[in-house]
Amino acid sequence: MFTIGCHLSIAKGFAAAARDAASIGANTFQFFTRNPRGGKAKELSAKDLADFAVVRAEAGIERILAHAPYTLNPSSSKPDTREFALQALADDLARMEQIMPAQLYNMHPGAHVGQGPDAGIGLIADALNEVLEPSQTTTLLLETMAGKGSEVGRTFQEIAAIIERVNLDDHVGVCLDTCHIWDGGYDIVGNLEDVLEEFDRVVGLERLRAVHLNDSKNPCGAHKDRHEKLGLGHIGFEALAAAINHPALRDLPFYLETPHEDLSGYADEIARLKASRN
Ligand code: FE
Ligand code: FE
Ligand code: ZN
């Protein structure tokens, strides 16, 4: 089965987001758990969650991916920023059990803000060791990053180093962002096979649980993180179509995070991707 969707707003609730997904031909979607710049999450509504279950069944949505706010930085040098990260992570993970159990929760690992990647890796692992609980059914995903600023997770080695330090590592996976790894220097256009082999060697393909499917406004290795619509950037449609068909990736859920003004842009991309599945 091809599991394909995009990032959607849950401002009108989860049921409305699932209807939006169905309206553009998607069978999954990603959403921010709270304002991407942080703050308090909206109260969950029992009515909305009940509606959500009905719409999901109708639309064949069996997978959802939550995304933590961008400002969440468990590897900050500031204790209160780390404390906010811990609280938001714990709260988000608890809410996921209510929203839909056994789903995926993606986070940007963090930024070490001058402390160095090793210190950052240690702090991120410490945070995960605080918030992960054996009873949780959600899998927490670490997103591969483009390496702008002091982002941690810019190489497969950094992602692996975090996971190695997590005690409940069976609750941890990876979300591969095509724009980010391209910007990070992994040539998925010329050499997807070698990139995935390296991922397998360093992290393990069994850790890979989701893919963010984006084109990039910048060349390979630019460390910029500017997403582009599929086919209009430096990665190009052909390489992205190869990614959705690759045996190591094809059964994973794919999420568009491409810059569109409205849902029709995603509908077009989803239709083109479906036509490119073999
Ligand atoms: Fe992200
Ligand atoms: Fe992403
Ligand atoms: Zn990005």
Side-chain angles (χ1 to χ4, degrees), residues 30 67 70 106-108 143 145 177 180 212 227 257:
Q30 175 180 263
H67 195 308
Y70 292 142
N106 175 58
M107 65 181 284
H108 296 180
E143 182 168 356
M145 301 310 292
D177 186 309
H180 294 179
H212 284 167
H227 301 189
E257 299 175 309

Side-chain angles (χ1 to χ4, degrees), residues 13-258:
F14 287 94
R19 275 187 209 99
D20 282 346
S23 77
I24 55 173
N27 55 3
T28 185
F29 67 95
Q30 175 180 263
F31 61 96
F32 281 126
T33 53
R34 57 188 76 213
N35 184 307
R37 275 174 310 241
K40 220 172 133 29
K42 224 173 102 191
E43 196 97 30
L44 295 172
S45 144
K47 161 98 176 66
D48 178 41
L49 292 180
D51 289 349
F52 180 41
V54 173
V55 179
R56 252 173 24 224
E58 283 167 4
I61 297 173
E62 292 170 6
R63 182 45 93 216
I64 58 170
L65 173 61
H67 195 308
Y70 292 142
T71 45
L72 193 145
N73 186 9
S75 54
S76 171
S77 55
K78 297 195 188 98
D80 47 329
T81 305
R82 291 204 301 271
E83 186 54 37
F84 166 75
L86 283 179
Q87 279 173 16
L89 280 172
D91 185 43
D92 279 356
L93 288 170
R95 290 159 57 91
M96 284 302 287
E97 300 293 322
Q98 285 182 268
I99 295 163
M100 187 177 171
Q103 296 305 309
L104 306 171
Y105 176 83
N106 175 58
M107 65 181 284
H108 296 180
H112 64 71
V113 289
Q115 304 174 96
D118 289 344
I121 286 163
L123 287 168
I124 294 159
D126 289 350
L128 298 188
N129 284 329
E130 289 259 338
V131 299
L132 292 174
E133 309 236 4
S135 62
Q136 274 159 8
T137 63
T138 306
T139 302
L140 183 144
L141 307 185
L142 296 167
E143 182 168 356
T144 57
M145 301 310 292
K148 68 176 188 306
S150 65
E151 274 174 352
V152 182
R154 57 192 277 151
T155 62
F156 299 159
Q157 283 77 9
E158 288 189 2
I159 297 279
I162 299 167
I163 297 173
E164 267 165 31
R165 289 165 174 76
V166 176
N167 301 324
L168 296 174
D169 70 314
D170 53 327
H171 288 57
V172 178
V174 177
C175 174
L176 191 94
D177 186 309
T178 55
C179 168
H180 294 179
I181 63 169
W182 169 257
D183 279 28
Y186 294 97
D187 180 10
I188 54 171
V189 176
N191 237 329
L192 178 63
E193 205 57 49
D194 285 357
V195 171
L196 292 176
E197 244 170 56
E198 181 172 352
F199 186 94
D200 192 31
R201 198 170 56 241
V202 176
V203 182
L205 278 169
E206 69 285 353
R207 291 275 180 199
L208 195 51
R209 302 296 300 276
V211 177
H212 284 167
L213 200 68
N214 302 305
D215 211 327
S216 173
K217 285 191 194 294
N218 292 286
C220 186
H223 299 296
K224 286 280 208 285
D225 190 5
R226 298 280 312 282
H227 301 189
E228 181 55 283
K229 300 180 181 95
L230 304 192
L232 298 185
H234 286 256
I235 299 176
F237 191 82
E238 207 184 309
L240 294 164
I244 62 162
N245 285 307
H246 192 283
L249 305 179
R250 60 180 291 121
D251 293 328
L252 297 171
F254 294 90
Y255 299 87
L256 301 163
E257 299 175 309
T258 43

